[in-house]
Each structure stands twice: as structure tokens, then as C-alpha cells.
Amino acid sequence: MALIKKFRIKEFKSKLPIAKLEKISLSFSSRQILDNINFKLNAGEIVGLLGPNGAGKSTIFNILMGLIKPDFGKVIIANTDVTNEPIYVRARKFKIGYVPQYGGFFNDLSLLDNLKAIGEIIIKDERERISKIHNLISKFALDNVQEVKAKFLSGGQRRKLVICMALLGDPKILLCDEIFAALDVLTIHMLKEILVNLQKEKPQMCIVICEHQARELLSIVDRAMILSNCKIIAEGSPNKLIKDENAKTQYFGDFF
């Protein structure tokens, strides 16, 4: 496994919890999805969520964002119970950004106009808005495609666009859902570098990545959790996880 990170940020930073899920349980009809889930998200970390299909990874994202309300338990962000707060309050007041697996942009708008459309909603000052948009375009090397309609962008360019759209609101928690899905090796490596650089540039932000590609995920996270059978069955650093017997039995297998 080729590591991009040469160190683990959390080893030398004090843990500053910015969000918690407490005793979260959820069922759809008669099917249990999550059963007594507890975990913290700390400032400055990249955290990974792993697990088989249907384990509840995306459901946890939806609960954090406010799209789904749990049957039981609390969502705490910035020491505030936000369990009953709607999605727009969590996005604007509590600074949650979201990078979806699919879509997240307007197909028939150019890359620049996509950013302007979101910027006009969340940044009132025009000068600040224009400056931030152009800084992001430059940072993500999108200058040469800013006038191209989103539907004509490559997969990697679309992912960059959606990350930029999420960053416009200066999120304290950035949720990335299957960010490496259906991309080539070089594009995945580029995105991993982007995420690691974001961690260095924004040390108070927590990046949470839900992903199936375990090797890619474990090469950049500080900590990961494995969901299976409605519960978190293993949690810890990448080195700890790959040696965990529950993780091997229920997720990685013997040949990971």
C-alpha cells in the first residue's frame, strides 16, 4: 500500500471533538439499519467509514446532514444537540459540507456558473464571493475548463468541482461519499493528494470519507471505522484495523 501521508495528524494534535453520534439507532420498516452507534469526529482528522453494501455508511452521512432523523439517539455538533435541526441549518450554522457520490452540480451550467450559483446563496458579500470562487478554481487547477458545461467535464474534474462547491461554505465537517468511485488510478491519486492538502491547509476541519476502496481510504485516513450488521465492529488507525480479527472476519478477509 503506497502511503501519501508520512505521519498521522492525530498523533500530535489534541483531540477536539466537533461532532458526536450518541446511541444512534434506525430502522426502515422492519429492517434494522443502525443499532446503538456511538462515535466522535475530531477537528483536524481524516476519518474513514468502511463496510459492506447496506451496512449503513451513507445512512450515517444522511443522519449527520439532517436528511434522516434517527429513531433513537442524538446528533451533537459544536456541543449542541442538532437532532431536530433541518439540513439547511446544519449546513449554514454548523458548517457541514457534502460531496455526493453522484451529481451535486447543474449539468447545463458551466463550472464557473455552478460555483456562482452556490456562492450567491451562501456568501453575501460579492467581492468576497468572487475572490473565493477564483481562488478555488486556481487551487484546483480548473482555470482552463471554467467555461465548460459540467456535463462535459471529465470524472475527475466533476469531483473537483463538487469539492469546490462544498468548500465555498468553509465547512468544519466535510462529508465525502464514495469519492473514489468509478475513477482511474491517476485521478484517485490526485484526489487523495487534494484531501491530504486540505487537512494541512484547514487544520480545524474534519474530513469524513465513506468508501468501498479500502486500500485507497486507509492510505490517507488517521482513523477508520468498519460497519457491519448494524454496528461498528472495529475502529482505530489503519495499522490497528488491518490486524483486527473482527475486521478480518467480517470485512477484509484473509488476503487483504
Side-chain angles (χ1 to χ4, degrees), residues 135-170:
N135 283 341
L136 285 168
I137 287 173
S138 178
K139 179 192 292 288
F140 285 83
L142 294 168
D143 305 75
N144 62 333
V145 293
Q146 60 181 303
E147 299 297 340
V148 177
K149 286 187 177 182
K151 63 184 177 183
F152 297 127
L153 297 172
S154 69
Q157 289 165 345
R158 290 178 184 178
R159 288 287 203 283
K160 283 184 177 182
L161 167 59
V162 180
I163 293 172
C164 288
M165 293 167 77
L167 291 176
L168 277 172
D170 292 323

mmCIF file of all heavy atoms in Angstrom, residues 135-170:
data_model
loop_
_atom_site.group_PDB
_atom_site.id
_atom_site.type_symbol
_atom_site.label_atom_id
_atom_site.label_comp_id
_atom_site.label_asym_id
_atom_site.label_seq_id
_atom_site.Cartn_x
_atom_site.Cartn_y
_atom_site.Cartn_z
ATOM 1 N N ASN A 135 -10.184 31.817 -6.309
ATOM 2 C CA ASN A 135 -9.122 31.144 -5.564
ATOM 3 C C ASN A 135 -9.264 29.630 -5.637
ATOM 4 O O ASN A 135 -8.272 28.902 -5.794
ATOM 5 C CB ASN A 135 -9.125 31.594 -4.101
ATOM 6 C CG ASN A 135 -8.525 32.970 -3.909
ATOM 7 O OD1 ASN A 135 -7.796 33.467 -4.768
ATOM 8 N ND2 ASN A 135 -8.833 33.613 -2.791
ATOM 9 N N LEU A 136 -10.507 29.134 -5.519
ATOM 10 C CA LEU A 136 -10.747 27.690 -5.594
ATOM 11 C C LEU A 136 -10.462 27.157 -6.994
ATOM 12 O O LEU A 136 -9.870 26.083 -7.152
ATOM 13 C CB LEU A 136 -12.190 27.369 -5.186
ATOM 14 C CG LEU A 136 -12.486 27.436 -3.693
ATOM 15 C CD1 LEU A 136 -13.996 27.382 -3.433
ATOM 16 C CD2 LEU A 136 -11.791 26.294 -2.957
ATOM 17 N N ILE A 137 -10.879 27.904 -8.016
ATOM 18 C CA ILE A 137 -10.612 27.484 -9.393
ATOM 19 C C ILE A 137 -9.110 27.365 -9.626
ATOM 20 O O ILE A 137 -8.627 26.399 -10.233
ATOM 21 C CB ILE A 137 -11.248 28.475 -10.393
ATOM 22 C CG1 ILE A 137 -12.776 28.291 -10.414
ATOM 23 C CG2 ILE A 137 -10.684 28.265 -11.801
ATOM 24 C CD1 ILE A 137 -13.515 29.325 -11.241
ATOM 25 N N SER A 138 -8.360 28.318 -9.112
ATOM 26 C CA SER A 138 -6.908 28.296 -9.258
ATOM 27 C C SER A 138 -6.289 27.162 -8.457
ATOM 28 O O SER A 138 -5.428 26.428 -8.957
ATOM 29 C CB SER A 138 -6.325 29.639 -8.818
ATOM 30 O OG SER A 138 -4.925 29.629 -8.894
ATOM 31 N N LYS A 139 -6.719 26.996 -7.199
ATOM 32 C CA LYS A 139 -6.169 25.972 -6.316
ATOM 33 C C LYS A 139 -6.348 24.572 -6.894
ATOM 34 O O LYS A 139 -5.464 23.713 -6.801
ATOM 35 C CB LYS A 139 -6.849 26.051 -4.942
ATOM 36 C CG LYS A 139 -6.365 25.004 -3.934
ATOM 37 C CD LYS A 139 -7.268 24.961 -2.717
ATOM 38 C CE LYS A 139 -7.165 26.206 -1.885
ATOM 39 N NZ LYS A 139 -5.860 26.262 -1.161
ATOM 40 N N PHE A 140 -7.509 24.336 -7.520
ATOM 41 C CA PHE A 140 -7.807 23.006 -8.045
ATOM 42 C C PHE A 140 -7.467 22.865 -9.527
ATOM 43 O O PHE A 140 -7.870 21.895 -10.168
ATOM 44 C CB PHE A 140 -9.285 22.677 -7.800
ATOM 45 C CG PHE A 140 -9.579 22.325 -6.365
ATOM 46 C CD1 PHE A 140 -9.798 23.316 -5.412
ATOM 47 C CD2 PHE A 140 -9.629 21.008 -5.953
ATOM 48 C CE1 PHE A 140 -10.054 23.003 -4.101
ATOM 49 C CE2 PHE A 140 -9.888 20.679 -4.641
ATOM 50 C CZ PHE A 140 -10.102 21.679 -3.706
ATOM 51 N N ALA A 141 -6.720 23.847 -10.056
ATOM 52 C CA ALA A 141 -6.243 23.799 -11.451
ATOM 53 C C ALA A 141 -7.389 23.572 -12.439
ATOM 54 O O ALA A 141 -7.318 22.719 -13.321
ATOM 55 C CB ALA A 141 -5.178 22.712 -11.610
ATOM 56 N N LEU A 142 -8.448 24.384 -12.291
ATOM 57 C CA LEU A 142 -9.617 24.273 -13.162
ATOM 58 C C LEU A 142 -9.772 25.481 -14.087
ATOM 59 O O LEU A 142 -10.809 25.638 -14.729
ATOM 60 C CB LEU A 142 -10.885 24.113 -12.306
ATOM 61 C CG LEU A 142 -10.981 22.812 -11.493
ATOM 62 C CD1 LEU A 142 -12.112 22.901 -10.474
ATOM 63 C CD2 LEU A 142 -11.175 21.613 -12.401
ATOM 64 N N ASP A 143 -8.749 26.307 -14.174
ATOM 65 C CA ASP A 143 -8.828 27.539 -14.965
ATOM 66 C C ASP A 143 -9.204 27.280 -16.419
ATOM 67 O O ASP A 143 -10.016 28.006 -16.993
ATOM 68 C CB ASP A 143 -7.478 28.279 -14.921
ATOM 69 C CG ASP A 143 -7.009 28.549 -13.504
ATOM 70 O OD1 ASP A 143 -6.547 27.591 -12.854
ATOM 71 O OD2 ASP A 143 -7.094 29.688 -13.054
ATOM 72 N N ASN A 144 -8.628 26.244 -16.999
ATOM 73 C CA ASN A 144 -8.843 26.015 -18.429
ATOM 74 C C ASN A 144 -10.188 25.385 -18.766
ATOM 75 O O ASN A 144 -10.531 25.239 -19.938
ATOM 76 C CB ASN A 144 -7.716 25.142 -19.007
ATOM 77 C CG ASN A 144 -7.667 23.765 -18.383
ATOM 78 O OD1 ASN A 144 -8.074 23.583 -17.246
ATOM 79 N ND2 ASN A 144 -7.162 22.789 -19.117
ATOM 80 N N VAL A 145 -10.972 24.986 -17.735
ATOM 81 C CA VAL A 145 -12.297 24.385 -18.005
ATOM 82 C C VAL A 145 -13.419 25.157 -17.301
ATOM 83 O O VAL A 145 -14.546 24.678 -17.229
ATOM 84 C CB VAL A 145 -12.344 22.894 -17.574
ATOM 85 C CG1 VAL A 145 -11.431 22.056 -18.450
ATOM 86 C CG2 VAL A 145 -12.007 22.734 -16.097
ATOM 87 N N GLN A 146 -13.142 26.357 -16.810
ATOM 88 C CA GLN A 146 -14.166 27.061 -16.032
ATOM 89 C C GLN A 146 -15.380 27.460 -16.861
ATOM 90 O O GLN A 146 -16.471 27.640 -16.317
ATOM 91 C CB GLN A 146 -13.575 28.283 -15.337
ATOM 92 C CG GLN A 146 -12.982 29.330 -16.230
ATOM 93 C CD GLN A 146 -12.398 30.489 -15.433
ATOM 94 O OE1 GLN A 146 -13.083 31.138 -14.644
ATOM 95 N NE2 GLN A 146 -11.120 30.763 -15.630
ATOM 96 N N GLU A 147 -15.225 27.577 -18.183
ATOM 97 C CA GLU A 147 -16.360 27.925 -19.029
ATOM 98 C C GLU A 147 -17.022 26.696 -19.666
ATOM 99 O O GLU A 147 -17.972 26.824 -20.441
ATOM 100 C CB GLU A 147 -15.916 28.884 -20.138
ATOM 101 C CG GLU A 147 -15.354 30.209 -19.630
ATOM 102 C CD GLU A 147 -16.381 31.033 -18.847
ATOM 103 O OE1 GLU A 147 -17.597 30.782 -19.014
ATOM 104 O OE2 GLU A 147 -15.956 31.911 -18.074
ATOM 105 N N VAL A 148 -16.555 25.503 -19.333
ATOM 106 C CA VAL A 148 -17.098 24.262 -19.886
ATOM 107 C C VAL A 148 -18.310 23.820 -19.059
ATOM 108 O O VAL A 148 -18.283 23.868 -17.825
ATOM 109 C CB VAL A 148 -16.032 23.146 -19.879
ATOM 110 C CG1 VAL A 148 -16.614 21.823 -20.389
ATOM 111 C CG2 VAL A 148 -14.836 23.567 -20.732
ATOM 112 N N LYS A 149 -19.380 23.399 -19.749
ATOM 113 C CA LYS A 149 -20.559 22.907 -19.034
ATOM 114 C C LYS A 149 -20.187 21.664 -18.223
ATOM 115 O O LYS A 149 -19.397 20.825 -18.671
ATOM 116 C CB LYS A 149 -21.679 22.573 -20.011
ATOM 117 C CG LYS A 149 -22.370 23.793 -20.589
ATOM 118 C CD LYS A 149 -23.585 23.396 -21.413
ATOM 119 C CE LYS A 149 -24.317 24.641 -21.923
ATOM 120 N NZ LYS A 149 -25.534 24.275 -22.692
ATOM 121 N N ALA A 150 -20.788 21.537 -17.055
ATOM 122 C CA ALA A 150 -20.436 20.448 -16.137
ATOM 123 C C ALA A 150 -20.623 19.069 -16.766
ATOM 124 O O ALA A 150 -19.863 18.150 -16.490
ATOM 125 C CB ALA A 150 -21.262 20.566 -14.860
ATOM 126 N N LYS A 151 -21.637 18.928 -17.621
ATOM 127 C CA LYS A 151 -21.903 17.613 -18.213
ATOM 128 C C LYS A 151 -20.795 17.172 -19.164
ATOM 129 O O LYS A 151 -20.714 15.983 -19.512
ATOM 130 C CB LYS A 151 -23.246 17.607 -18.927
ATOM 131 C CG LYS A 151 -23.368 18.561 -20.106
ATOM 132 C CD LYS A 151 -24.782 18.523 -20.661
ATOM 133 C CE LYS A 151 -24.975 19.519 -21.812
ATOM 134 N NZ LYS A 151 -26.386 19.516 -22.287
ATOM 135 N N PHE A 152 -19.935 18.091 -19.591
ATOM 136 C CA PHE A 152 -18.840 17.752 -20.498
ATOM 137 C C PHE A 152 -17.494 17.604 -19.780
ATOM 138 O O PHE A 152 -16.479 17.345 -20.421
ATOM 139 C CB PHE A 152 -18.717 18.812 -21.601
ATOM 140 C CG PHE A 152 -19.927 18.909 -22.485
ATOM 141 C CD1 PHE A 152 -20.547 20.128 -22.690
ATOM 142 C CD2 PHE A 152 -20.446 17.782 -23.109
ATOM 143 C CE1 PHE A 152 -21.672 20.233 -23.511
ATOM 144 C CE2 PHE A 152 -21.568 17.865 -23.926
ATOM 145 C CZ PHE A 152 -22.186 19.094 -24.125
ATOM 146 N N LEU A 153 -17.475 17.779 -18.482
ATOM 147 C CA LEU A 153 -16.239 17.628 -17.717
ATOM 148 C C LEU A 153 -15.897 16.158 -17.534
ATOM 149 O O LEU A 153 -16.774 15.287 -17.557
ATOM 150 C CB LEU A 153 -16.375 18.290 -16.347
ATOM 151 C CG LEU A 153 -16.609 19.804 -16.316
ATOM 152 C CD1 LEU A 153 -16.913 20.245 -14.891
ATOM 153 C CD2 LEU A 153 -15.408 20.561 -16.875
ATOM 154 N N SER A 154 -14.622 15.871 -17.316
ATOM 155 C CA SER A 154 -14.211 14.502 -17.003
ATOM 156 C C SER A 154 -14.653 14.147 -15.582
ATOM 157 O O SER A 154 -15.038 15.028 -14.789
ATOM 158 C CB SER A 154 -12.693 14.369 -17.108
ATOM 159 O OG SER A 154 -12.061 15.095 -16.064
ATOM 160 N N GLY A 155 -14.565 12.850 -15.249
ATOM 161 C CA GLY A 155 -14.952 12.417 -13.908
ATOM 162 C C GLY A 155 -14.158 13.116 -12.813
ATOM 163 O O GLY A 155 -14.712 13.557 -11.808
ATOM 164 N N GLY A 156 -12.854 13.251 -13.024
ATOM 165 C CA GLY A 156 -12.016 13.919 -12.030
ATOM 166 C C GLY A 156 -12.327 15.388 -11.897
ATOM 167 O O GLY A 156 -12.331 15.941 -10.789
ATOM 168 N N GLN A 157 -12.594 16.046 -13.023
ATOM 169 C CA GLN A 157 -12.943 17.471 -12.991
ATOM 170 C C GLN A 157 -14.279 17.691 -12.282
ATOM 171 O O GLN A 157 -14.446 18.670 -11.544
ATOM 172 C CB GLN A 157 -12.992 18.014 -14.414
ATOM 173 C CG GLN A 157 -11.624 18.138 -15.069
ATOM 174 C CD GLN A 157 -11.688 18.325 -16.568
ATOM 175 O OE1 GLN A 157 -12.729 18.104 -17.197
ATOM 176 N NE2 GLN A 157 -10.584 18.742 -17.165
ATOM 177 N N ARG A 158 -15.220 16.789 -12.490
ATOM 178 C CA ARG A 158 -16.511 16.899 -11.789
ATOM 179 C C ARG A 158 -16.333 16.749 -10.286
ATOM 180 O O ARG A 158 -16.942 17.464 -9.511
ATOM 181 C CB ARG A 158 -17.487 15.836 -12.312
ATOM 182 C CG ARG A 158 -17.974 16.080 -13.716
ATOM 183 C CD ARG A 158 -18.898 14.959 -14.158
ATOM 184 N NE ARG A 158 -19.311 15.135 -15.541
ATOM 185 C CZ ARG A 158 -20.093 14.287 -16.199
ATOM 186 N NH1 ARG A 158 -20.528 13.192 -15.590
ATOM 187 N NH2 ARG A 158 -20.434 14.524 -17.448
ATOM 188 N N ARG A 159 -15.479 15.774 -9.881
ATOM 189 C CA ARG A 159 -15.238 15.605 -8.452
ATOM 190 C C ARG A 159 -14.601 16.858 -7.870
ATOM 191 O O ARG A 159 -14.961 17.310 -6.785
ATOM 192 C CB ARG A 159 -14.314 14.408 -8.202
ATOM 193 C CG ARG A 159 -14.918 13.062 -8.429
ATOM 194 C CD ARG A 159 -15.914 12.656 -7.332
ATOM 195 N NE ARG A 159 -16.039 11.218 -7.292
ATOM 196 C CZ ARG A 159 -16.734 10.490 -8.160
ATOM 197 N NH1 ARG A 159 -17.381 11.086 -9.139
ATOM 198 N NH2 ARG A 159 -16.800 9.185 -8.046
ATOM 199 N N LYS A 160 -13.648 17.434 -8.585
ATOM 200 C CA LYS A 160 -13.025 18.679 -8.126
ATOM 201 C C LYS A 160 -14.055 19.784 -7.990
ATOM 202 O O LYS A 160 -14.051 20.547 -7.011
ATOM 203 C CB LYS A 160 -11.935 19.123 -9.113
ATOM 204 C CG LYS A 160 -10.632 18.371 -9.038
ATOM 205 C CD LYS A 160 -9.641 19.020 -10.022
ATOM 206 C CE LYS A 160 -8.288 18.421 -9.993
ATOM 207 N NZ LYS A 160 -7.356 19.114 -10.913
ATOM 208 N N LEU A 161 -14.949 19.889 -8.979
ATOM 209 C CA LEU A 161 -15.993 20.915 -8.944
ATOM 210 C C LEU A 161 -16.858 20.767 -7.706
ATOM 211 O O LEU A 161 -17.123 21.758 -6.997
ATOM 212 C CB LEU A 161 -16.853 20.832 -10.204
ATOM 213 C CG LEU A 161 -18.170 21.631 -10.191
ATOM 214 C CD1 LEU A 161 -17.912 23.118 -9.978
ATOM 215 C CD2 LEU A 161 -18.957 21.386 -11.478
ATOM 216 N N VAL A 162 -17.299 19.549 -7.429
ATOM 217 C CA VAL A 162 -18.201 19.341 -6.291
ATOM 218 C C VAL A 162 -17.482 19.598 -4.965
ATOM 219 O O VAL A 162 -18.080 20.117 -4.015
ATOM 220 C CB VAL A 162 -18.816 17.930 -6.331
ATOM 221 C CG1 VAL A 162 -19.753 17.717 -5.157
ATOM 222 C CG2 VAL A 162 -19.592 17.721 -7.628
ATOM 223 N N ILE A 163 -16.193 19.264 -4.887
ATOM 224 C CA ILE A 163 -15.416 19.589 -3.684
ATOM 225 C C ILE A 163 -15.335 21.100 -3.523
ATOM 226 O O ILE A 163 -15.518 21.636 -2.420
ATOM 227 C CB ILE A 163 -14.006 18.962 -3.753
ATOM 228 C CG1 ILE A 163 -14.094 17.441 -3.695
ATOM 229 C CG2 ILE A 163 -13.143 19.471 -2.593
ATOM 230 C CD1 ILE A 163 -12.768 16.741 -3.946
ATOM 231 N N CYS A 164 -15.078 21.811 -4.614
ATOM 232 C CA CYS A 164 -15.030 23.282 -4.564
ATOM 233 C C CYS A 164 -16.362 23.849 -4.091
ATOM 234 O O CYS A 164 -16.394 24.786 -3.277
ATOM 235 C CB CYS A 164 -14.695 23.855 -5.932
ATOM 236 S SG CYS A 164 -12.990 23.624 -6.450
ATOM 237 N N MET A 165 -17.456 23.312 -4.601
ATOM 238 C CA MET A 165 -18.789 23.795 -4.199
ATOM 239 C C MET A 165 -19.001 23.588 -2.702
ATOM 240 O O MET A 165 -19.559 24.445 -2.006
ATOM 241 C CB MET A 165 -19.868 23.086 -5.018
ATOM 242 C CG MET A 165 -19.844 23.461 -6.504
ATOM 243 S SD MET A 165 -20.844 22.378 -7.549
ATOM 244 C CE MET A 165 -22.506 22.983 -7.181
ATOM 245 N N ALA A 166 -18.541 22.453 -2.185
ATOM 246 C CA ALA A 166 -18.676 22.176 -0.752
ATOM 247 C C ALA A 166 -17.793 23.099 0.084
ATOM 248 O O ALA A 166 -18.159 23.499 1.192
ATOM 249 C CB ALA A 166 -18.331 20.714 -0.463
ATOM 250 N N LEU A 167 -16.613 23.452 -0.452
ATOM 251 C CA LEU A 167 -15.667 24.284 0.300
ATOM 252 C C LEU A 167 -16.049 25.760 0.325
ATOM 253 O O LEU A 167 -15.517 26.521 1.138
ATOM 254 C CB LEU A 167 -14.262 24.140 -0.286
ATOM 255 C CG LEU A 167 -13.585 22.782 -0.091
ATOM 256 C CD1 LEU A 167 -12.246 22.747 -0.813
ATOM 257 C CD2 LEU A 167 -13.395 22.474 1.394
ATOM 258 N N LEU A 168 -16.947 26.174 -0.545
ATOM 259 C CA LEU A 168 -17.364 27.585 -0.567
ATOM 260 C C LEU A 168 -17.920 28.041 0.778
ATOM 261 O O LEU A 168 -17.786 29.204 1.154
ATOM 262 C CB LEU A 168 -18.413 27.811 -1.661
ATOM 263 C CG LEU A 168 -17.890 28.020 -3.088
ATOM 264 C CD1 LEU A 168 -19.053 28.041 -4.060
ATOM 265 C CD2 LEU A 168 -17.096 29.321 -3.186
ATOM 266 N N GLY A 169 -18.537 27.127 1.496
ATOM 267 C CA GLY A 169 -19.126 27.482 2.787
ATOM 268 C C GLY A 169 -18.189 27.338 3.961
ATOM 269 O O GLY A 169 -18.618 27.433 5.124
ATOM 270 N N ASP A 170 -16.880 27.122 3.699
ATOM 271 C CA ASP A 170 -15.888 26.931 4.769
ATOM 272 C C ASP A 170 -16.351 25.899 5.795
ATOM 273 O O ASP A 170 -16.490 26.200 6.987
ATOM 274 C CB ASP A 170 -15.581 28.259 5.467
ATOM 275 C CG ASP A 170 -14.841 29.231 4.578
ATOM 276 O OD1 ASP A 170 -13.986 28.783 3.795
ATOM 277 O OD2 ASP A 170 -15.131 30.444 4.650
#
